[in-house]
Amino acid sequence: MKTELIAGAGNCRLILYFAGWGTSPDLVRRWDIPDDYDLLLCWDYRTLQFEFDLSRYQQLHLVAWSMGVWAAEQCLPANISLQSSVAINGTPGLIDDQFGIPSAVFSGTLHNFDDSTRAKFDRRMCGSREVLRQYQAGTLRANDEIKAELSAVYQALATAKAPHIRWQKAIVGSQDRIFPSANQLAYWQRQGCRIEQIDAPHFCFAHFDNWIAICR
């Protein structure tokens, strides 16, 4: 896993962001960060080693999108204490016909991945040409890299940890065609999590530009 810390002097609050599969942290890099917070960007799950020292922070706020919800469960310590925890268009049940991505969809994407598959995935993720243009305006990772990431995650599922994070809020896009909205709702309703539904596709970041607004 890759990480990048955006830090100020002496800040004691940290926002942890776990990105979705195949994406760059540039998607959220320009969001407004409060003056007294640091931001740790986490992405690229070809390995799930998390070696960042969280002990100096008095408050931790977790925001995870898509596959990042599952990755946070795998990377963060079981005893982690979170001031807030928000899942965006994802669940800890990464491959699950009822609570996550349908298994046939996941395996089909992995085993047939090429330029055409990626283009189709991006269109489904964004939902419209306008949103697709917004997504593609940012930094795009190489195809071979994100295919390797998907393969590594698929293999890691065989020894995956059971969910341990108490997610406080789930943001669910009603037009999500990657993590089906119905599956997300089915999972979070069983957990008693606060659910916020928005009219958005899987890539829903046009709705956000402020970390604190998401964490509330």
Side-chain angles (χ1 to χ4, degrees), residues 62-130:
L62 173 61
V63 177
W65 171 50
S66 188
M67 186 184 284
V69 178
W70 174 85
E73 295 275 10
Q74 303 307 306
C75 296
L76 296 179
N79 62 347
I80 191 169
S81 177
L82 298 169
Q83 187 75 15
S84 65
S85 49
V86 182
I88 304 173
N89 280 343
T91 74
L94 180 59
I95 304 179
D96 193 299
D97 290 344
Q98 185 177 3
F99 299 126
I101 299 172
S103 57
V105 174
F106 193 103
S107 61
T109 302
L110 172 61
H111 297 303
N112 300 300
F113 190 84
D114 57 18
D115 290 350
S116 176
T117 306
R118 181 175 187 175
K120 180 180 178 181
F121 179 90
D122 288 352
R123 289 194 300 269
R124 289 174 60 85
M125 177 176 69
C126 295
S128 70
R129 291 181 179 178
E130 179 181 358

Side-chain angles (χ1 to χ4, degrees), residues 27-93:
L27 293 174
V28 301
R29 196 182 298 277
R30 296 182 182 178
W31 290 6
D32 181 53
I33 306 172
D35 292 337
D36 52 347
Y37 285 73
D38 290 350
L39 173 65
L40 182 68
L41 302 169
C42 307
W43 75 102
D44 189 352
Y45 309 127
R46 285 178 287 181
T47 68
L48 293 169
Q49 295 176 349
F50 183 82
E51 300 175 347
F52 186 83
D53 182 11
L54 300 172
S55 62
R56 74 179 182 90
Y57 292 98
Q58 297 177 13
Q59 282 189 12
L60 300 174
H61 299 262
L62 173 61
V63 177
W65 171 50
S66 188
M67 186 184 284
V69 178
W70 174 85
E73 295 275 10
Q74 303 307 306
C75 296
L76 296 179
N79 62 347
I80 191 169
S81 177
L82 298 169
Q83 187 75 15
S84 65
S85 49
V86 182
I88 304 173
N89 280 343
T91 74

Side-chain angles (χ1 to χ4, degrees), residues 2-37:
K2 297 177 182 176
T3 60
E4 177 186 349
L5 180 66
I6 301 174
N11 290 338
C12 62
R13 300 173 181 175
L14 177 69
I15 298 168
L16 298 106
Y17 168 69
F18 280 78
W21 165 61
T23 63
S24 161
D26 290 351
L27 293 174
V28 301
R29 196 182 298 277
R30 296 182 182 178
W31 290 6
D32 181 53
I33 306 172
D35 292 337
D36 52 347
Y37 285 73

